[in-house]
Amino acid sequence: MTYLAIGIQHVCMLVGVTVAFQPNLIRSGVKIATISDHKFTTINRSTRSSAMCTESSHTSRNIALQMALDASEEDDDDDDDDEYLELEEDWRSFRSTLVNSGLSSETEGYIDEEGSGKSAETADKQKGLERPKSVSKANEELLKSQNPNLAKEYVDGVWSYPIPTAEAGGLVVRLPLEVEIYRNKDKLQIGKELDERLESNDSPNSDFSSFVSGSEENDRNELDLSFSPSSAQLILWYKKTQKLIEDEIATIANLADESGQINPRELEPKAEKLLSMYLDNQMAWQEVCLVVKNDESSKKATTIVINRPMAFRLSENLGKLLLYGAYIGDRKIKISEQNEWSKFLRAFEESCAVYVGGPDKMEDPAVLIHGIADLPGASELSPGTGIYQGGLPAAVQGILHGKYKPLDFRFFVGCHEYEDGQLNAAVYTNKYQPIACARTLALKQCIQLPKPLWHEVMELSGGELRDMSRLELMKRGDIQE
């Protein structure tokens, strides 16, 4: 974690900009000191909330795969690579159709006890998995001003829902600490205490009722929770887990000396583990990451954070960082690079969307992400996603000739690199929730969004993810619906 802070700070100093991360919602002023490589680092105590991780079945995907395989048997002349590409494209297209029609890999049409067929939409409603088609008109209006074509595609058919494993071209969203602790309580020392609180003799509806009655009337109306039994249960475990975290962090904070610092060596194992989880979660608070690569054979994966804006205008130093990487330092541009450098500055001087993509490879040239299929030099993240990487020279040329606009592209400095199946492990331990979504969610700019992208994705996913987002929104008064 120390290296993450140093890396981002170094890059920001290099380009002369400030990175604005999401603010903590509640601060006490108490500082906690942690030791990393024998150096003290201080953080502010804060309380945040959680989201529910859900998993889906593979039934619909199996149907899509079988359909694609049956179709491929009719043409024995195609090679294996062509069959694979068609399979991937058919699956993504099929899944998009399923989701937009109300049927997904999480919900299926089924027969009730009386033998009458129930639609997928009815099944979704009974499970509390209704997925809205629009969650922020203000966000949609902003997108229209930035990229009218992408905005039309968004309005016509945006979709999003949770899936069990991360896939290239999809998203992974960081889940709040409450979810991580609750769903891993059987593996944690603090889990025993959480079980005792959950099994206490309190009325099942006590936390639910007090939460609702303690909310402002306007907040309750905007929240619009279904208050179904599953929602009530979610609120119950969420509030009790949140209270446990607050109590434990307060206990740790009480160990602070007069200067407000704590020596972690004085902590008991349970408190030390909680503090470690707390810090790790805070560093990635409400991250929304695009999965650039997830190779099951090598067990390596790469993601980039798409909701951490770094700069909106291009300076000379920032341009050097994006084009040549951090190692260029203060050296002058070579004569052989002058033409490329000059065109790049002219193309993006008025508008340039730059993001902090993660703590790894921050010294490398920036990664360019866009949705232009025929851009020379670009490659699709995964067949059928419609999300592309690279092709900067052609992008510059297209902007200068008026074919493209600067905000059709996004630059990312750094990324998250995973080896030995670490991304799958992060999903398994409920740090991240994989999301399948329309490409518009991954391609849209996150520049001063009225509603943060994390909430937008969570609400579009429906079910418990939507409820948890709404609970989080009640803590903030600076977000437009």
Side-chain angles (χ1 to χ4, degrees):
M1 281 174 277
T2 300
Y3 292 135
L4 170 62
I6 291 174
I8 293 177
Q9 185 179 24
H10 171 72
V11 170
C12 292
M13 291 176 63
L14 176 67
V15 301
V17 299
T18 301
V19 180
F21 290 94
Q22 289 278 14
N24 290 324
L25 307 184
I26 303 175
R27 299 181 182 270
S28 67
V30 176
K31 292 185 178 180
I32 303 172
T34 63
I35 294 178
S36 177
D37 297 333
H38 308 292
K39 295 180 181 179
F40 277 90
T41 305
T42 61
I43 65 162
N44 283 320
R45 170 190 172 194
S46 69
T47 303
R48 302 188 307 276
S49 64
S50 65
M52 184 65 177
C53 174
T54 61
E55 294 189 354
S56 62
S57 70
H58 293 283
T59 304
S60 295
R61 180 164 191 168
N62 290 339
I63 296 172
L65 293 175
Q66 188 60 53
M67 290 174 63
L69 288 171
D70 290 343
S72 68
E73 290 176 357
E74 298 177 2
D75 187 358
D76 294 332
D77 295 332
D78 292 341
D79 59 28
D80 291 342
D81 290 338
D82 289 339
E83 289 177 1
Y84 174 77
L85 293 177
E86 290 172 3
L87 180 63
E88 285 295 314
E89 292 170 356
D90 287 347
W91 160 240
R92 294 181 187 280
S93 177
F94 184 58
R95 178 168 60 186
S96 173
T97 302
L98 290 180
V99 174
N100 285 327
S101 64
L103 180 64
S104 77
S105 59
E106 286 186 274
T107 59
E108 309 162 20
Y110 61 97
I111 305 298
D112 63 12
E113 294 179 356
E114 298 179 358
S116 61
K118 294 185 178 181
S119 68
E121 183 177 358
T122 301
D124 268 359
K125 289 182 178 180
Q126 290 186 349
K127 294 181 180 181
L129 293 174
E130 295 175 89
R131 296 185 179 90
K133 298 299 183 182
S134 175
V135 296
S136 175
K137 294 299 183 182
N139 278 18
E140 293 173 10
E141 290 301 317
L142 179 60
L143 181 57
K144 288 178 183 178
S145 68
Q146 296 171 342
N147 192 327
N149 291 333
L150 192 65
K152 184 179 186 306
E153 184 179 338
Y154 181 101
V155 172
D156 287 346
V158 66
W159 55 272
S160 172
Y161 72 95
I163 54 177
T165 57
E167 58 182 34
L171 305 176
V172 288
V173 296
R174 182 66 192 233
L175 294 174
L177 185 58
E178 287 81 355
V179 174
E180 191 176 344
I181 289 178
Y182 173 75
R183 296 183 69 86
N184 293 305
K185 56 187 175 66
D186 293 339
K187 307 181 185 75
L188 300 171
Q189 287 181 302
I190 200 174
K192 183 177 180 181
E193 184 173 348
L194 178 57
D195 275 333
E196 292 174 354
R197 295 193 181 204
L198 293 172
E199 295 172 2
S200 65
N201 292 326
D202 295 342
S203 168
N205 295 320
S206 60
D207 280 356
F208 178 77
S209 299
S210 62
F211 178 83
V212 175
S213 62
S215 305
E216 296 292 337
E217 182 176 356
N218 289 339
D219 288 338
R220 292 200 298 273
N221 292 335
E222 291 179 2
L223 182 60
D224 191 29
L225 286 175
S226 63
F227 292 141
S228 65
S230 61
S231 294
Q233 185 65 26
L234 183 151
I235 294 175
L236 178 65
W237 68 253
Y238 167 78
K239 296 297 288 183
K240 290 197 172 185
T241 308
Q242 182 186 42
K243 184 64 167 60
L244 175 61
I245 294 171
E246 291 175 351
D247 292 346
E248 291 295 325
I249 293 296
T251 300
I252 295 173
N254 288 335
L255 299 175
D257 58 23
E258 293 181 356
S259 64
Q261 292 188 334
I262 295 172
N263 186 346
R265 296 191 181 97
E266 298 177 356
L267 298 175
E268 296 179 356
K270 180 183 74 171
E272 185 177 2
K273 177 62 176 177
L274 175 63
L275 182 58
S276 174
M277 294 177 67
Y278 178 91
L279 292 171
D280 178 66
N281 189 276
Q282 180 164 341
M283 292 300 292
W285 181 69
Q286 292 192 356
E287 277 187 349
V288 179
C289 304
L290 173 65
V291 182
V292 176
K293 178 183 72 175
N294 190 17
D295 190 337
E296 292 296 334
S297 60
S298 66
K299 298 186 183 302
K300 293 183 179 180
T302 303
T303 68
I304 51 177
V305 185
I306 62 175
N307 62 330
R308 294 289 189 262
M310 177 179 176
F312 310 138
R313 298 287 297 273
L314 191 65
S315 65
E316 185 171 330
N317 283 338
L318 179 57
K320 287 182 179 180
L321 173 67
L322 299 182
L323 202 55
Y324 303 112
Y327 288 131
I328 190 174
D330 295 326
R331 81 163 174 84
K332 294 183 179 180
I333 303 298
K334 297 177 182 178
I335 295 177
S336 60
E337 299 169 337
Q338 284 290 346
N339 186 44
E340 174 190 44
W341 169 245
S342 175
K343 288 183 177 180
F344 178 70
L345 287 181
R346 284 190 289 121
F348 290 98
E349 63 182 347
E350 293 299 326
S351 181
C352 187
V354 185
Y355 300 81
V356 177
D360 302 318
K361 295 188 174 181
M362 298 192 74
E363 69 280 359
D364 289 358
V367 173
L368 182 70
I369 298 293
H370 56 88
I372 302 173
D374 58 352
L375 188 72
S379 59
E380 197 171 15
L381 297 188
S382 183
T385 61
I387 303 173
Y388 300 85
Q389 175 180 342
L392 180 58
V396 169
Q397 201 71 11
I399 293 172
L400 293 178
H401 285 82
K403 185 176 182 180
Y404 310 125
K405 295 182 179 179
L407 289 184
D408 291 340
F409 304 91
R410 306 177 76 184
F411 292 94
F412 296 91
V413 178
C415 63
H416 282 291
E417 287 278 289
Y418 297 92
E419 295 185 355
D420 301 323
Q422 291 174 330
L423 178 57
N424 291 337
V427 170
Y428 178 77
T429 55
N430 299 288
K431 293 178 182 290
Y432 287 93
Q433 170 63 54
I435 299 286
C437 66
R439 70 171 194 153
T440 49
L441 282 174
L443 293 175
K444 63 181 290 187
Q445 299 287 353
C446 293
I447 301 175
Q448 299 176 332
L449 287 177
K451 174 176 285 188
L453 183 64
W454 186 87
H455 289 283
E456 187 173 354
V457 172
M458 294 281 282
E459 292 189 21
L460 285 170
S461 297
E464 292 178 329
L465 296 182
R466 181 188 184 190
D467 283 352
M468 292 308 302
S469 172
R470 297 258 174 145
L471 290 170
E472 289 291 298
L473 283 173
M474 291 182 66
K475 296 181 179 180
R476 303 183 61 172
D478 61 329
I479 298 177
Q480 300 178 27
E481 285 292 331

